[in-house]
Amino acid sequence: MSSEERGWVRMFLYLQVLDLLSTLIGFSLGNTEASPFIRMLVRFGPATGLVISKLVALGLVGVCFALKRTRLIQLINYWYAVLVIWNLYIVLTVLNGPPNPQRAANPGEAVRRVATALRQNNRPMPNAGIFTTYQLASPLNHGSTGKYGRFLMLVRSADYAPMLRDHPQEFGPVEVSGDRAEQTLRVQGGDGRTVVYKFDVARQGDGGWMVDGVSLVSR
């Protein structure tokens, strides 16, 4: 292997690491993979699917050497450089851009969608449930929690940790007063203790219900 070829291979490996990390970060922000091939692989789990895709990429480099077409590695590197730039662009867009809001038909549905999403937080991608919660959060909620990066850290704090696990949930009655509603959620923790949360939900001016906030009542 010539020194030039070694340089191409080093760059290829460096780009694979960057692509892997930037894609996993994107998954944690609720992004989906654009490639149908990668989407098929991540059914085995985000990390597992991506590792398999990297093994396939390494196989392509091996084929280039076997066919003595090593200059093709340069083209492969250009492709992965573009992918890394795209991944970083998407990550920055999600972190700094406005959410894609979702609304529920009634306050009870809003609470159940959030509670279910958080209970299954890492399905189908890491933190997918938190991203769904972010989309169901009202503009008033976003005004206090900020962009998604800060929202993500708040929901992953110790106060909300019980909701991020697959623990039994019990919903209290929905109390509606005009355009506002409240509902409690009881989560049975793994240690046997019950954690109680209160959801504040509000009807939006353009229709539909969104979550204004979730507070810890007792634990």
Side-chain angles (χ1 to χ4, degrees):
M1 185 186 301
S2 67
S3 60
E4 187 177 32
E5 289 171 339
R6 285 196 296 271
W8 296 339
V9 172
R10 282 196 296 268
M11 180 59 67
F12 170 82
L13 295 175
Y14 177 68
L15 288 169
Q16 295 310 301
V17 173
L18 287 180
D19 180 53
L20 178 66
L21 293 176
S22 59
T23 301
L24 286 174
I25 293 171
F27 284 165
S28 72
L29 299 177
N31 294 332
T32 58
E33 175 58 50
S35 166
F37 175 66
I38 303 300
R39 282 203 302 270
M40 179 184 68
L41 292 179
V42 297
R43 292 177 183 175
F44 302 103
T48 302
L50 287 174
V51 168
I52 294 174
S53 74
K54 295 309 161 193
L55 292 176
V56 172
L58 288 171
L60 289 176
V61 171
V63 170
C64 290
F65 275 102
L67 298 178
K68 301 186 185 302
R69 302 291 299 273
T70 54
R71 287 193 175 275
L72 290 177
I73 300 175
Q74 285 183 301
L75 297 178
I76 295 173
N77 286 344
Y78 292 144
W79 169 251
Y80 276 102
V82 171
L83 285 181
V84 170
I85 293 172
W86 174 254
N87 288 343
L88 294 176
Y89 168 76
I90 294 299
V91 168
L92 291 174
T93 299
V94 173
L95 289 176
N96 295 300
N100 180 22
Q102 296 184 20
R103 291 171 175 78
N106 56 68
E109 179 190 334
V111 174
R112 287 183 180 274
R113 285 172 62 181
V114 168
T116 301
L118 293 178
R119 186 178 181 181
Q120 303 172 351
N121 183 45
N122 293 320
R123 286 181 277 175
M125 302 298 175
N127 294 322
I130 294 179
F131 191 74
T132 297
T133 301
Y134 181 67
Q135 292 176 309
L136 281 162
S138 68
L140 179 65
N141 192 328
H142 290 147
S144 59
T145 58
K147 300 294 184 181
Y148 178 70
R150 185 168 181 270
F151 185 92
L152 176 69
M153 298 308 296
L154 288 172
V155 178
R156 291 191 65 86
S157 66
D159 284 349
Y160 301 103
M163 282 199 292
L164 298 177
R165 299 185 177 94
D166 192 12
H167 294 321
Q169 297 178 342
E170 179 183 346
F171 296 89
V174 180
E175 300 178 3
V176 181
S177 177
D179 289 336
R180 305 197 62 80
E182 293 181 357
Q183 186 175 18
T184 58
L185 171 68
R186 301 169 65 88
V187 179
Q188 185 70 41
D191 57 0
R193 293 186 300 175
T194 299
V195 186
V196 182
Y197 298 93
K198 185 186 75 170
F199 282 74
D200 293 305
V201 190
R203 192 200 313 269
Q204 304 304 298
D206 51 356
W209 293 79
M210 302 179 80
V211 178
D212 271 352
V214 182
S215 56
L216 176 63
V217 178
S218 65
R219 62 185 313 164

